[in-house]
Amino acid sequence: MLEILTRHNWMEYFEKLRGYDDGVAQEFSLSLIPWTRSRATILVRGLSIELTPELIKKITTLPPGVPWRKEDKGDSQTTKKKFFLEGEDPIEEKNRVRRTSLPYPWNEVSYHLIKYISCEDRYSVVYGYHFRLLEELRFGAETPPHHRLSIPYFLL
């Protein structure tokens, strides 16, 4: 996990998570008001902040890349199919895959992505949009930088 995150320049982001405040994180997520695909507002403890991919990039120090839209579900399903190599047989249920059926180390990587990147609590299943992040980590090193996923845009 450490090697994968280091190779993709994500470790600085994870280092910033040390000592985070659960209460503030929950207040932050519950007060998020999306305005457009690239702008949202939050109100936390009386402070109003406008979120943009640029601000998320600056705060998280995650690398920039190509924007991603949650509406592109078809692309997520294609990405899910492309993620698996020959001989890797995941257990699929409708539009999701059992996390435990992912090959090592991706079963563990997906857990950390779900918990710390998409901030969800459904740890047992991996959805199409998670596969976009997993694909980035598994095959992204071979992708030119201007074609890589924008993690700040994805987070917003």
Side-chain angles (χ1 to χ4, degrees), residues 25-130:
Q26 182 176 14
E27 188 178 342
F28 179 92
S29 66
L30 293 174
S31 69
L32 184 66
I33 302 167
W35 297 106
T36 67
R37 284 192 300 240
S38 61
R39 190 173 76 83
T41 303
I42 57 158
L43 181 63
V44 178
R45 301 193 177 171
L47 178 63
S48 178
I49 301 171
E50 183 176 324
L51 289 177
T52 63
E54 293 77 24
L55 180 60
I56 293 171
K57 177 183 172 243
K58 185 175 182 179
I59 292 168
T60 63
T61 66
L62 290 168
V66 177
W68 180 87
R69 301 177 318 158
K70 195 169 183 177
E71 300 87 55
D72 296 339
K73 287 188 174 187
D75 289 345
S76 293
Q77 296 305 315
T78 302
T79 300
K80 179 174 71 172
K81 288 179 180 27
K82 289 188 332 187
F83 176 80
F84 294 101
L85 302 176
E86 190 175 325
E88 295 176 345
D89 299 316
I91 299 172
E92 293 193 58
E93 301 170 346
K94 295 185 182 179
N95 63 341
R96 58 190 183 207
V97 172
R98 285 187 188 254
R99 185 180 63 78
T100 55
S101 72
L102 296 179
Y104 179 83
W106 305 108
N107 52 357
E108 291 302 315
V109 172
S110 64
Y111 171 82
H112 292 284
L113 290 179
I114 292 166
K115 185 168 183 174
Y116 298 110
I117 297 286
S118 62
C119 301
E120 298 169 283
D121 59 1
R122 300 174 291 184
Y123 305 126
S124 63
V125 293
V126 181
Y127 289 92
Y129 58 94
H130 295 128

